[in-house]
Protein backbone atom coordinates (compact mmCIF):
# COMPACT_ATOMS: atom_id res chain seq x y z
CA UNK A 1 0.00 0.00 0.00
CA UNK A 2 1.34 3.45 -0.94
CA UNK A 3 0.48 4.95 2.48
CA UNK A 4 2.48 2.26 4.31
CA UNK A 5 5.45 2.82 1.98
CA UNK A 6 5.45 6.51 2.87
CA UNK A 7 5.47 5.78 6.61
CA UNK A 8 8.25 3.20 6.31
CA UNK A 9 10.40 5.80 4.55
CA UNK A 10 9.85 8.36 7.34
CA UNK A 11 9.56 6.49 10.66
CA UNK A 12 9.35 9.36 13.12
CA UNK A 13 7.47 8.41 16.33
CA UNK A 14 6.32 11.98 16.88
CA UNK A 15 4.47 11.78 13.57
CA UNK A 16 2.39 8.78 14.66
CA UNK A 17 -0.95 10.68 14.79
CA UNK A 18 -0.46 11.88 11.23
CA UNK A 19 0.52 8.37 10.11
CA UNK A 20 -2.59 6.97 11.78
CA UNK A 21 -4.79 9.47 9.93
CA UNK A 22 -3.13 8.54 6.61
CA UNK A 23 -3.84 4.84 7.23
CA UNK A 24 -7.43 5.54 8.28
CA UNK A 25 -8.16 7.69 5.25
CA UNK A 26 -6.59 5.16 2.91
CA UNK A 27 -8.80 2.47 4.47
CA UNK A 28 -11.87 4.66 3.98
CA UNK A 29 -11.02 5.18 0.33
CA UNK A 30 -10.60 1.42 -0.18
CA UNK A 31 -13.93 0.71 1.53
CA UNK A 32 -15.78 3.23 -0.60
CA UNK A 33 -14.08 1.95 -3.74
CA UNK A 34 -15.04 -1.66 -2.93
CA UNK A 35 -18.70 -0.77 -2.34
CA UNK A 36 -18.82 1.34 -5.51
CA UNK A 37 -17.26 -1.40 -7.63
CA UNK A 38 -19.70 -3.93 -6.19
CA UNK A 39 -22.57 -1.62 -7.12
CA UNK A 40 -21.21 -1.37 -10.68
CA UNK A 41 -21.23 -5.16 -10.96
CA UNK A 42 -24.69 -5.58 -9.46
CA UNK A 43 -26.21 -2.90 -11.69
CA UNK A 44 -24.72 -4.62 -14.73
CA UNK A 45 -26.12 -7.96 -13.60
CA UNK A 46 -29.58 -6.51 -12.95
CA UNK A 47 -29.60 -5.01 -16.45
CA UNK A 48 -28.88 -8.44 -17.90
CA UNK A 49 -31.39 -10.29 -15.71
CA UNK A 50 -34.17 -7.74 -15.78
CA UNK A 51 -34.14 -6.93 -12.07
CA UNK A 52 -33.58 -3.88 -9.90
CA UNK A 53 -33.89 -5.04 -6.27
CA UNK A 54 -30.23 -5.93 -5.73
CA UNK A 55 -29.08 -2.65 -7.26
CA UNK A 56 -31.27 -0.66 -4.88
CA UNK A 57 -30.04 -2.72 -1.92
CA UNK A 58 -26.39 -2.10 -2.78
CA UNK A 59 -27.15 1.57 -3.43
CA UNK A 60 -28.46 1.76 0.15
CA UNK A 61 -25.32 0.00 1.37
CA UNK A 62 -23.08 2.54 -0.35
CA UNK A 63 -25.11 5.42 1.11
CA UNK A 64 -24.75 3.84 4.56
CA UNK A 65 -20.95 3.66 4.19
CA UNK A 66 -20.81 7.31 3.08
CA UNK A 67 -23.01 8.48 5.97
CA UNK A 68 -20.96 6.58 8.55
CA UNK A 69 -17.74 7.92 7.05
CA UNK A 70 -18.88 11.53 7.32
CA UNK A 71 -20.02 10.96 10.90
CA UNK A 72 -16.74 9.31 11.93
CA UNK A 73 -14.44 11.72 10.10
CA UNK A 74 -15.23 15.42 10.70
CA UNK A 75 -14.44 17.84 7.93
CA UNK A 76 -10.78 18.95 8.10
CA UNK A 77 -9.99 22.60 8.55
CA UNK A 78 -8.19 22.93 5.27
CA UNK A 79 -10.20 23.34 2.11
CA UNK A 80 -10.75 20.25 0.05
CA UNK A 81 -8.79 20.11 -3.21
CA UNK A 82 -10.97 19.90 -6.29
CA UNK A 83 -11.82 16.33 -7.29
CA UNK A 84 -11.30 15.34 -10.89
CA UNK A 85 -14.74 14.78 -12.35
CA UNK A 86 -15.30 12.09 -14.93
CA UNK A 87 -18.07 12.36 -17.48
CA UNK A 88 -20.24 9.21 -17.49
CA UNK A 89 -20.58 7.61 -20.89
CA UNK A 90 -24.12 6.90 -22.01
CA UNK A 91 -25.33 3.66 -23.52
CA UNK A 92 -24.61 3.07 -27.18
CA UNK A 93 -27.54 3.52 -29.51
CA UNK A 94 -27.57 -0.21 -30.32
CA UNK A 95 -27.96 -0.96 -26.60
CA UNK A 96 -31.25 0.91 -26.29
CA UNK A 97 -33.90 -1.42 -24.88
CA UNK A 98 -36.73 -2.48 -27.18
CA UNK A 99 -39.16 -1.04 -24.62
CA UNK A 100 -38.24 2.45 -25.83
CA UNK A 101 -39.77 1.83 -29.24
CA UNK A 102 -42.75 0.09 -27.65
CA UNK A 103 -43.60 3.02 -25.38
CA UNK A 104 -43.29 5.49 -28.26
CA UNK A 105 -45.66 3.45 -30.42
CA UNK A 106 -48.14 3.05 -27.57
CA UNK A 107 -48.19 6.78 -26.83
CA UNK A 108 -48.38 7.81 -30.48
CA UNK A 109 -51.39 5.51 -30.96
CA UNK A 110 -53.06 6.57 -27.69
CA UNK A 111 -51.73 9.99 -26.58
CA UNK A 112 -54.01 10.00 -23.53
CA UNK A 113 -51.52 7.56 -22.01
CA UNK A 114 -49.05 10.43 -21.56
CA UNK A 115 -51.04 11.44 -18.49
CA UNK A 116 -50.10 8.12 -16.87
CA UNK A 117 -46.35 8.52 -17.43
CA UNK A 118 -45.70 12.07 -16.19
CA UNK A 119 -42.74 10.66 -14.25
CA UNK A 120 -40.92 9.70 -17.47
CA UNK A 121 -38.51 12.19 -19.07
CA UNK A 122 -36.61 12.30 -22.40
CA UNK A 123 -33.35 11.77 -20.49
CA UNK A 124 -34.56 8.30 -19.49
CA UNK A 125 -34.19 7.08 -23.08
CA UNK A 126 -30.83 5.61 -24.08
CA UNK A 127 -31.29 6.21 -27.81
CA UNK A 128 -31.17 9.93 -28.76
CA UNK A 129 -33.80 9.45 -31.47
CA UNK A 130 -36.21 7.91 -29.00
CA UNK A 131 -35.53 10.70 -26.51
CA UNK A 132 -36.25 13.33 -29.18
CA UNK A 133 -39.52 11.73 -30.27
CA UNK A 134 -40.72 11.41 -26.68
CA UNK A 135 -39.87 15.10 -26.12
CA UNK A 136 -41.98 15.94 -29.19
CA UNK A 137 -44.91 13.82 -27.98
CA UNK A 138 -44.82 15.45 -24.57
CA UNK A 139 -44.49 18.98 -25.98
CA UNK A 140 -47.51 18.54 -28.25
CA UNK A 141 -49.57 17.04 -25.44
CA UNK A 142 -48.71 19.80 -22.97
CA UNK A 143 -49.75 22.43 -25.51
CA UNK A 144 -53.02 20.59 -26.01
CA UNK A 145 -52.41 19.95 -29.71
CA UNK A 146 -53.42 17.02 -31.84
CA UNK A 147 -50.90 14.20 -32.10
CA UNK A 148 -50.42 12.29 -35.33
CA UNK A 149 -47.46 11.52 -37.65
CA UNK A 150 -47.79 14.91 -39.40
CA UNK A 151 -47.78 17.01 -36.23
CA UNK A 152 -44.95 14.92 -34.75
CA UNK A 153 -42.83 15.39 -37.84
CA UNK A 154 -43.43 19.12 -37.78
CA UNK A 155 -42.56 19.31 -34.09
CA UNK A 156 -39.36 17.33 -34.71
CA UNK A 157 -38.52 19.64 -37.61
CA UNK A 158 -39.06 22.90 -35.70
CA UNK A 159 -37.13 21.55 -32.70
CA UNK A 160 -34.16 20.79 -34.95
CA UNK A 161 -34.25 17.04 -34.43
CA UNK A 162 -34.66 16.09 -38.08
CA UNK A 163 -31.37 17.79 -38.93
CA UNK A 164 -29.50 17.31 -35.66
CA UNK A 165 -30.26 13.59 -35.36
CA UNK A 166 -30.49 12.97 -39.09
CA UNK A 167 -34.04 11.74 -38.76
CA UNK A 168 -36.25 11.48 -41.78
CA UNK A 169 -39.98 11.20 -42.25
CA UNK A 170 -39.78 7.51 -43.16
CA UNK A 171 -37.88 6.62 -39.98
CA UNK A 172 -40.25 8.59 -37.75
CA UNK A 173 -43.30 7.00 -39.38
CA UNK A 174 -41.71 3.56 -39.07
CA UNK A 175 -40.93 4.05 -35.38
CA UNK A 176 -44.43 5.23 -34.52
CA UNK A 177 -46.45 3.02 -36.84
CA UNK A 178 -49.25 1.18 -35.05
CA UNK A 179 -49.86 0.56 -31.38
CA UNK A 180 -48.53 -2.34 -29.34
CA UNK A 181 -51.61 -3.45 -27.44
CA UNK A 182 -49.56 -3.17 -24.24
CA UNK A 183 -50.00 -0.56 -21.53
CA UNK A 184 -47.82 2.47 -22.19
CA UNK A 185 -47.29 2.82 -18.43
CA UNK A 186 -45.90 -0.71 -18.22
CA UNK A 187 -43.47 -0.13 -21.08
CA UNK A 188 -42.50 3.27 -19.62
CA UNK A 189 -41.60 1.61 -16.32
CA UNK A 190 -39.25 -0.70 -18.17
CA UNK A 191 -37.61 2.31 -19.84
CA UNK A 192 -37.26 3.95 -16.42
CA UNK A 193 -35.83 0.75 -14.92
CA UNK A 194 -33.15 0.63 -17.63
CA UNK A 195 -32.39 4.31 -17.02
CA UNK A 196 -32.09 3.75 -13.26
CA UNK A 197 -29.67 0.85 -13.70
CA UNK A 198 -27.69 2.67 -16.38
CA UNK A 199 -27.32 5.83 -14.31
CA UNK A 200 -26.50 3.92 -11.10
CA UNK A 201 -23.80 2.03 -12.98
CA UNK A 202 -22.33 5.31 -14.24
CA UNK A 203 -22.44 7.03 -10.83
CA UNK A 204 -20.87 4.06 -9.05
CA UNK A 205 -18.09 3.85 -11.64
CA UNK A 206 -17.37 7.54 -11.13
CA UNK A 207 -17.17 7.06 -7.34
CA UNK A 208 -14.89 4.03 -7.69
CA UNK A 209 -12.55 6.08 -9.87
CA UNK A 210 -12.64 8.95 -7.37
CA UNK A 211 -11.89 6.66 -4.43
CA UNK A 212 -9.08 4.88 -6.29
CA UNK A 213 -7.22 8.18 -6.60
CA UNK A 214 -7.52 8.76 -2.81
CA UNK A 215 -6.79 12.47 -3.20
CA UNK A 216 -9.51 13.73 -0.86
CA UNK A 217 -9.70 13.54 2.96
CA UNK A 218 -12.20 10.94 4.15
CA UNK A 219 -15.00 13.41 4.94
CA UNK A 220 -14.69 15.24 1.63
CA UNK A 221 -14.43 11.99 -0.32
CA UNK A 222 -17.65 10.72 1.25
CA UNK A 223 -19.39 14.04 0.60
CA UNK A 224 -18.27 14.11 -3.03
CA UNK A 225 -19.37 10.51 -3.51
CA UNK A 226 -22.79 11.29 -2.03
CA UNK A 227 -23.18 14.18 -4.49
CA UNK A 228 -22.18 11.89 -7.34
CA UNK A 229 -25.08 9.60 -6.39
CA UNK A 230 -27.66 12.40 -6.71
CA UNK A 231 -28.66 11.51 -10.32
CA UNK A 232 -29.20 7.85 -9.36
CA UNK A 233 -31.18 8.87 -6.27
CA UNK A 234 -33.41 11.16 -8.34
CA UNK A 235 -34.17 8.31 -10.74
CA UNK A 236 -34.87 6.02 -7.82
CA UNK A 237 -37.46 8.44 -6.46
CA UNK A 238 -39.19 8.54 -9.84
CA UNK A 239 -39.02 4.75 -9.99
CA UNK A 240 -40.97 4.54 -6.73
CA UNK A 241 -43.38 7.22 -7.95
CA UNK A 242 -44.08 5.18 -11.08
CA UNK A 243 -45.23 2.29 -8.87
CA UNK A 244 -47.42 4.43 -6.62
CA UNK A 245 -51.08 4.49 -7.73
CA UNK A 246 -52.46 7.95 -8.48
CA UNK A 247 -49.13 9.57 -7.61
CA UNK A 248 -48.30 12.63 -9.67
CA UNK A 249 -44.90 14.29 -9.15
CA UNK A 250 -44.98 17.88 -7.98
CA UNK A 251 -44.96 20.30 -10.88
CA UNK A 252 -46.53 17.93 -13.40
CA UNK A 253 -49.23 19.14 -15.73
CA UNK A 254 -52.83 18.07 -15.63
CA UNK A 255 -53.82 14.91 -17.48
CA UNK A 256 -54.29 15.39 -21.19
CA UNK A 257 -57.98 14.49 -20.89
CA UNK A 258 -58.50 17.46 -18.58
CA UNK A 259 -56.93 19.98 -20.92
CA UNK A 260 -59.07 21.41 -23.71
CA UNK A 261 -57.94 20.78 -27.26
CA UNK A 262 -58.68 23.13 -30.09
CA UNK A 263 -58.12 21.44 -33.44
CA UNK A 264 -59.42 24.43 -35.37
CA UNK A 265 -57.09 26.96 -33.80
CA UNK A 266 -53.49 26.13 -34.76
CA UNK A 267 -50.74 27.75 -32.71
CA UNK A 268 -49.11 30.85 -34.05
CA UNK A 269 -45.69 29.38 -33.47
CA UNK A 270 -44.41 26.02 -32.32
CA UNK A 271 -41.63 26.56 -29.78
CA UNK A 272 -38.50 24.48 -30.01
CA UNK A 273 -37.93 21.70 -27.55
CA UNK A 274 -34.60 21.56 -25.78
CA UNK A 275 -32.36 18.78 -27.00
CA UNK A 276 -32.36 15.83 -24.58
CA UNK A 277 -29.10 14.23 -23.59
CA UNK A 278 -28.24 10.88 -25.04
CA UNK A 279 -27.84 9.11 -21.71
CA UNK A 280 -28.98 8.96 -18.10
Amino acid sequence: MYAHTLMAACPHPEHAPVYARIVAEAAVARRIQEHAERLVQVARTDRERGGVTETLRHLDALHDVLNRTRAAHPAPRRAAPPARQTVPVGARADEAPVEEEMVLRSLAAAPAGLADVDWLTPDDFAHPTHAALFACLRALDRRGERIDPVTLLWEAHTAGYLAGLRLDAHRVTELLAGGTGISAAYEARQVLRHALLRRTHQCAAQIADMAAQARLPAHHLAAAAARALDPADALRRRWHTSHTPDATPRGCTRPASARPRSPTAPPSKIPAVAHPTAHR
Side-chain angles (χ1 to χ4, degrees), residues 184-203:
Y186 172 81
E187 298 293 352
R189 288 189 192 97
Q190 303 313 306
V191 172
L192 186 60
R193 182 179 67 82
H194 282 283
L196 171 59
L197 295 173
R198 188 169 62 249
R199 177 57 67 190
T200 302
H201 181 282
Q202 293 167 349
C203 292

Side-chain angles (χ1 to χ4, degrees), residues 85-145:
Q85 297 297 319
T86 57
V87 179
V89 179
R92 296 194 304 268
D94 58 356
E95 292 180 348
V98 67
E99 289 87 355
E100 293 189 357
E101 287 191 17
M102 301 281 280
V103 73
L104 289 173
R105 292 184 181 185
S106 296
L107 293 174
L114 283 160
D116 300 324
V117 295
D118 264 335
W119 33 262
L120 192 67
T121 73
D123 287 345
D124 297 331
F125 290 78
H127 198 298
T129 296
H130 300 162
L133 290 176
F134 180 75
C136 292
L137 280 166
R138 194 171 63 169
L140 289 171
D141 180 70
R142 289 183 172 180
R143 295 202 303 269
E145 297 179 13

Side-chain angles (χ1 to χ4, degrees), residues 3-276:
H4 293 83
T5 302
L6 286 177
M7 289 184 293
C10 188
H12 295 288
E14 65 272 21
H15 296 168
V18 178
Y19 295 161
R21 190 185 72 240
I22 292 174
V23 172
E25 292 192 349
V28 166
R30 286 197 308 273
R31 190 180 309 118
I32 293 175
Q33 181 181 359
E34 289 169 359
H35 276 79
E37 289 176 344
R38 194 173 301 126
L39 180 55
V40 168
Q41 296 169 358
V42 171
R44 184 185 298 116
T45 301
D46 270 349
R47 288 177 65 182
E48 295 171 353
R49 296 180 179 178
V52 73
T53 303
E54 284 302 303
T55 295
L56 297 182
R57 186 169 71 83
H58 282 77
L59 180 58
D60 284 336
L62 179 54
H63 268 299
D64 183 60
V65 168
L66 299 179
N67 290 336
R68 285 189 283 111
T69 297
R70 283 185 288 183
H73 298 267
R77 294 179 181 179
R78 68 182 186 276
R84 183 175 66 87
Q85 297 297 319
T86 57
V87 179
V89 179
R92 296 194 304 268
D94 58 356
E95 292 180 348
V98 67
E99 289 87 355
E100 293 189 357
E101 287 191 17
M102 301 281 280
V103 73
L104 289 173
R105 292 184 181 185
S106 296
L107 293 174
L114 283 160
D116 300 324
V117 295
D118 264 335
W119 33 262
L120 192 67
T121 73
D123 287 345
D124 297 331
F125 290 78
H127 198 298
T129 296
H130 300 162
L133 290 176
F134 180 75
C136 292
L137 280 166
R138 194 171 63 169
L140 289 171
D141 180 70
R142 289 183 172 180
R143 295 202 303 269
E145 297 179 13
R146 297 293 185 181
I147 294 177
D148 59 35
V150 174
T151 58
L152 276 169
L153 278 170
W154 181 248
E155 180 68 24
H157 168 69
T158 57
Y161 293 134
L162 293 184
L165 296 176
R166 298 180 181 177
L167 276 173
D168 56 46
H170 175 73
R171 178 57 179 156
V172 173
T173 303
E174 181 183 58
L175 274 174
L176 304 179
T180 63
I182 303 176
S183 166
Y186 172 81
E187 298 293 352
R189 288 189 192 97
Q190 303 313 306
V191 172
L192 186 60
R193 182 179 67 82
H194 282 283
L196 171 59
L197 295 173
R198 188 169 62 249
R199 177 57 67 190
T200 302
H201 181 282
Q202 293 167 349
C203 292
Q206 179 179 353
I207 292 170
D209 179 67
M210 190 188 309
Q213 297 176 47
R215 295 178 180 175
L216 295 174
H219 181 93
H220 290 315
L221 174 60
R227 288 193 299 271
L229 285 176
D230 284 346
D233 291 334
L235 269 164
R236 181 181 187 172
R237 287 191 292 271
R238 288 196 287 117
W239 169 255
H240 288 309
T241 297
S242 73
H243 287 75
T244 304
D246 302 323
T248 301
R250 187 175 300 178
C252 288
T253 57
R254 291 180 298 165
S257 58
R259 296 196 299 276
R261 296 182 181 272
S262 177
T264 59
S268 58
K269 183 179 181 181
I270 299 179
V273 180
H275 285 270

